[in-house]
Structures are given as C-alpha cells and as structure tokens.
Amino acid sequence: MTQDDPRGLPEGGKGEGLSSLDERLKAARNAEAARKGKAAGKPRKGYNQGSRVLTELIAGPAGGAIIGWLIDRWLGTSPWLLLVMLFSGTVVAFRNIYRISNERPE
C-alpha cells in the first residue's frame, strides 16, 4: 500500500478483500434471485383462482341479466325473465365458485 493511494488498496489495484466481497455479493444475488423465483412462482395458481372467482361473480349475474333483458324485450314479458335469468346466473356463478374453491392451489 502506498501513502499516495487514497483508496488504501495495494499496488495491484484490487485488494484481497474486494475479491471476497465480490464473491459474497454474487452469492447474495443468486440467493435473492432464487428466493424471488420461488416466491413469484408459488402463489400464481392462487392468484389465478382468485381472478376466476372474481370473473364468475361479475359475469354470471351480468350475463344472466343481459340475456333475460333481451328475451324480455323480444317476448314482451318484462321484468320476469330478467329476474329469472339474473337469479339463475347468480346460482350458476356460485356453483362454479364452489367448484373452483375445491381445487388445490399448489
């Protein structure tokens, strides 16, 4: 080490401490990448199931209501088929949610 070198490194430019620091940083980055890979991949099916449940909750009653409204306008039986189809869409949505909830989120 020279007194003129403000970094305090030996004359080779790279100290022995830096090589071990580089190794530790590399190991820490690899461990972090492995942790993120496991954490990112693990709950994926759970999120997919949640999205499916949300879709069923919205699409079931909405689809039934739209179909019932269209048939009511066509047949002139307003609002009875709208109510029947809204109820049946809700029942189908809850049945599908029950099926989704029985799947394992591995």
Side-chain angles (χ1 to χ4, degrees), residues 73-92:
R73 288 189 53 117
W74 182 49
L75 297 177
T77 58
S78 184
W80 297 109
L81 288 177
L82 169 72
L83 295 174
V84 168
M85 293 300 286
L86 178 67
F87 178 73
S88 63
T90 304
V91 168
V92 168

Side-chain angles (χ1 to χ4, degrees), residues 3-57:
Q3 291 182 357
D4 297 334
D5 191 6
R7 297 176 295 183
L9 296 176
E11 291 181 18
K14 195 170 190 183
E16 294 174 13
L18 287 180
S19 64
S20 66
L21 179 63
D22 287 338
E23 291 171 4
R24 290 191 320 188
L25 281 173
K26 191 174 186 179
R29 285 184 184 128
N30 289 339
E32 182 68 15
R35 186 187 66 81
K36 282 185 179 178
K38 288 179 182 178
K42 189 172 184 177
R44 185 177 185 108
K45 188 168 182 182
Y47 286 127
N48 288 342
Q49 284 180 336
S51 296
R52 287 173 56 197
V53 166
L54 181 62
T55 301
E56 290 292 339
L57 280 174

